[in-house]
Amino acid sequence: MLSRSAERLYWMARYLERTENTARLISATMHLIYDLPYGVELGWRNLLNICGVEEAFYQRFKNPSEQNTTRFLLADMSNSGSLLASLSFARENIRTSRELMPDEAWQQVNEMYLFANNNLDSLSNRRGRALFLQEIMAGCQRFTGFMAGAMSRSDSARFICIGRNLERADMTSRIMDFGTVLLAENRSTKMREYETILWINVLKSLSAVLMYRKHVRNRIKGEDVLNYLLKNPDFPRAVVHCIEEITHCIKRLPNAVELFPQLEQLEQQVLAIDIKQTTPEQLHQVLDGLQAKFDELHKQIAAMWFLNNLGEDELEKN
């Protein structure tokens, strides 16, 4: 397997995961903002902060209104992290890797891209936007389910799994960072009053409500939510689970031994986080540090397998 092919598969998975994460995050935020009463200090600007595009947004817009924010996050091609840009990048990567995946994989991504491109006008109204997001989320989940049932567990599949889980862990940590606002001592009385609804929305953005209730079995509290999303080894979007999936795949790849200590250290660092003894400010710093670690891991993966001139058969000899 050529290094450039591995890189395309890795980025295809990251971009598709980013597409789905953006869709589910905006969908959950829409429902939350419409349901909360006036006076709870949450708005569209929080979404820009979670996605890490606040600076880029204010270079183009002055007001983080609903229309400006959703358009920027969904359809603005100048924003490389927008849903349409991510889906376009995923489509290009899969188009040039069609020989490595079942034919239906390309068809599903291409159809999803065509749907998104042909329905941008629907984003201007709330109902149309909600239906648009539902279809994108369903399309991403169909693709993931299809690949799980139709692709051999080769090195190709491993690079897809690594890309998906690295992107997923990063987004979960960003959504958890939103929790530092909900835990802050200076939060308003209104926010305290609706705190449970806000934490439910954090879980909803990761499709985690039912699994959380089955696991925790107590009323929803911020500390329990954060611990679950950080440390639960069985929930697919929990940070520890994502790290374990990445580790499992990397251990099956050639020339990966030097990454093992870093992966083990990263998992232990997550498990050692004590939410009850951590202030919101410290938690923010911890989560920022985690995101930096994920970026560092990405760079090491790229240096290990993507930037070197690997022989054609080297990656598949396992």
Side-chain angles (χ1 to χ4, degrees):
M1 184 180 182
L2 293 172
S3 60
R4 61 177 177 270
S5 299
E7 185 171 15
R8 285 196 296 262
L9 293 175
Y10 169 87
W11 275 112
M12 176 209 70
R14 289 202 69 162
Y15 283 129
L16 277 179
E17 183 66 25
R18 194 173 299 175
T19 298
E20 182 180 350
N21 287 337
T22 302
R24 64 170 60 245
L25 191 56
I26 293 175
S27 179
T29 303
M30 283 169 54
H31 286 101
L32 175 66
I33 289 177
Y34 303 153
D35 289 345
L36 286 175
Y38 182 79
V40 179
E41 63 271 32
L42 292 173
W44 294 103
R45 183 170 183 173
N46 297 94
L47 200 55
L48 296 170
N49 185 263
I50 290 173
C51 294
V53 295
E54 200 167 1
E55 183 178 345
F57 176 84
Y58 283 109
Q59 290 175 357
R60 290 177 53 79
F61 301 98
K62 292 183 178 179
N63 177 25
S65 65
E66 176 182 347
Q67 286 292 336
N68 289 345
T69 304
T70 55
R71 195 79 189 180
F72 184 73
L73 292 176
L74 291 175
D76 195 328
M77 290 298 289
S78 71
N79 171 19
S80 61
S82 72
L83 184 147
L84 188 61
S86 297
L87 189 51
S88 177
F89 295 147
R91 177 178 180 263
E92 181 59 21
N93 277 290
I94 197 171
R95 185 187 68 80
T96 54
S97 308
R98 292 172 66 177
E99 74 280 2
L100 299 171
M101 288 173 285
D103 290 341
E104 295 89 340
W106 155 253
Q107 293 170 8
Q108 287 190 20
V109 173
N110 189 48
E111 287 174 4
M112 189 165 33
Y113 170 79
L114 293 174
F115 167 82
N117 214 34
N118 293 333
N119 288 273
L120 295 178
D121 290 343
S122 66
L123 300 179
S124 58
N125 66 84
R126 291 176 180 177
R127 175 171 172 75
R129 193 185 310 133
L131 294 173
F132 177 93
L133 293 171
Q134 286 174 12
E135 180 57 33
I136 293 296
M137 287 187 285
C140 290
Q141 290 160 8
R142 282 194 299 269
F143 177 84
T144 302
F146 170 76
M147 295 294 280
M151 191 165 181
S152 299
R153 299 310 187 261
S154 61
D155 286 339
S156 297
R158 291 179 192 115
F159 279 109
I160 292 172
C161 180
I162 292 168
R164 177 190 304 122
N165 281 283
L166 191 53
E167 185 71 29
R168 187 174 285 181
D170 180 74
M171 178 55 80
T172 298
S173 70
R174 290 179 183 277
I175 291 173
M176 289 176 60
D177 207 0
F178 174 64
T180 62
V181 178
L182 306 185
L183 291 171
E185 290 299 325
N186 63 350
R187 65 194 187 277
S188 68
T189 304
K190 277 284 187 182
M191 184 176 283
R192 294 172 192 269
E193 184 180 345
Y194 291 94
E195 197 167 299
T196 299
I197 294 175
L198 296 170
W199 284 113
I200 289 174
N201 189 70
V202 169
L203 291 168
K204 277 184 176 179
S205 66
L206 295 166
S207 296
V209 177
L210 180 61
M211 294 301 102
Y212 169 87
R213 289 189 183 277
K214 284 181 174 293
H215 178 79
V216 178
R217 298 182 181 276
N218 293 323
R219 70 183 184 87
I220 293 177
K221 296 189 298 183
E223 292 175 353
D224 292 337
V225 170
L226 293 173
N227 265 317
Y228 181 77
L229 296 178
L230 265 178
K231 302 179 184 181
N232 189 280
D234 300 319
F235 181 63
R237 294 183 181 276
V239 173
V240 158
H241 180 90
C242 294
I243 295 171
E244 289 178 350
E245 288 290 302
I246 293 168
T247 301
H248 174 75
C249 291
I250 283 180
K251 285 185 174 180
R252 301 288 299 276
L253 293 172
N255 307 321
V257 176
E258 64 185 76
L259 283 180
F260 297 171
Q262 180 185 344
L263 288 164
E264 183 176 352
Q265 182 183 23
L266 182 56
E267 182 174 353
Q268 291 305 314
Q269 180 182 339
V270 173
L271 292 173
I273 297 171
D274 187 345
I275 297 295
K276 292 184 179 181
Q277 301 300 320
T278 305
T279 67
E281 293 78 12
Q282 291 170 335
L283 179 60
H284 175 70
Q285 293 174 359
V286 167
L287 294 172
D288 272 359
L290 270 184
Q291 290 157 27
K293 292 281 188 182
F294 296 144
D295 186 55
E296 182 182 336
L297 178 59
H298 156 70
K299 289 175 180 176
Q300 290 188 299
I301 289 169
M304 183 83 66
W305 289 295
F306 304 156
L307 304 182
N308 299 318
N309 185 21
L310 301 180
E312 183 170 356
D313 297 322
E314 188 172 346
L315 286 176
E316 288 292 355
K317 65 185 179 184
N318 283 18

